[in-house]
Amino acid sequence: MADLFSDEWMKSFMEHWNAEPELSDALAQIGFNSVIGYGFDGETAPKGVLVVENGKATAAGAFDGQEMNWDIRASDEQWRKWMSKPPGMMGLGMAFTSRKMKFVVGDYSAMIKDPRMAKPFIKSFSVMGRA
């Protein structure tokens, strides 16, 4: 198994992202475009990056200085916990308010209030578990 958020892991995540209609198709319906960084709390930069165009992941790999629309951080232990048992809306809210999940870049509040974005965000955790 590749290291979490490594280049190899991110490429696998991209394939699973695109194969999940509740994620890629749902985001395509709202024309979602973003560069999303994933990493660990306390580190200066994200480990991995996913580029999303019209809901579909078009590129993935190790972080290489890209400008982020979203940069999401948590501990390694927390990420793995969410991958094995994806959180619901309440769990995400608790993780954010307790600072177990941090948005270095991006507006968590605006995203979570929009069901068209919140549902796919929640779905992304179960998709991570497949990568």
Side-chain angles (χ1 to χ4, degrees):
M1 177 182 201
D3 289 339
L4 189 58
F5 306 131
S6 68
D7 188 74
E8 180 184 350
W9 190 92
M10 291 302 298
K11 285 176 174 40
S12 175
F13 180 42
M14 177 176 76
E15 290 176 23
H16 290 284
W17 174 292
N18 289 334
E20 177 53 64
E22 289 181 54
L23 184 52
S24 59
D25 292 353
L27 290 173
Q29 290 176 359
I30 61 170
F32 182 82
N33 299 298
S34 277
V35 178
I36 307 167
Y38 298 92
F40 302 110
D41 192 24
E43 294 188 356
T44 57
K47 289 284 186 199
V49 175
L50 188 71
V51 178
V52 180
E53 297 174 9
N54 269 337
K56 299 288 184 191
T58 58
F63 176 72
D64 190 26
Q66 300 92 329
E67 188 172 328
M68 303 284 120
N69 300 105
W70 301 91
D71 181 352
I72 308 165
R73 308 291 181 90
S75 69
D76 182 88
E77 179 184 347
Q78 190 63 58
W79 280 118
R80 292 182 190 284
K81 181 179 172 185
W82 287 326
M83 287 180 212
S84 65
K85 186 173 188 257
M89 289 292 278
M90 178 102 50
L92 279 181
M94 295 290 289
F96 181 73
T97 57
S98 67
R99 311 253 320 131
K100 287 182 179 177
M101 174 186 289
K102 295 178 184 169
F103 283 71
V104 177
V105 177
D107 185 352
Y108 172 81
S109 298
M111 181 269 299
I112 210 69
K113 289 177 185 172
D114 184 346
R116 300 171 311 158
M117 288 178 62
K119 287 180 182 179
F121 181 64
I122 290 167
K123 188 66 175 179
S124 73
F125 290 94
S126 63
V127 172
M128 282 181 186
R130 300 177 205 157

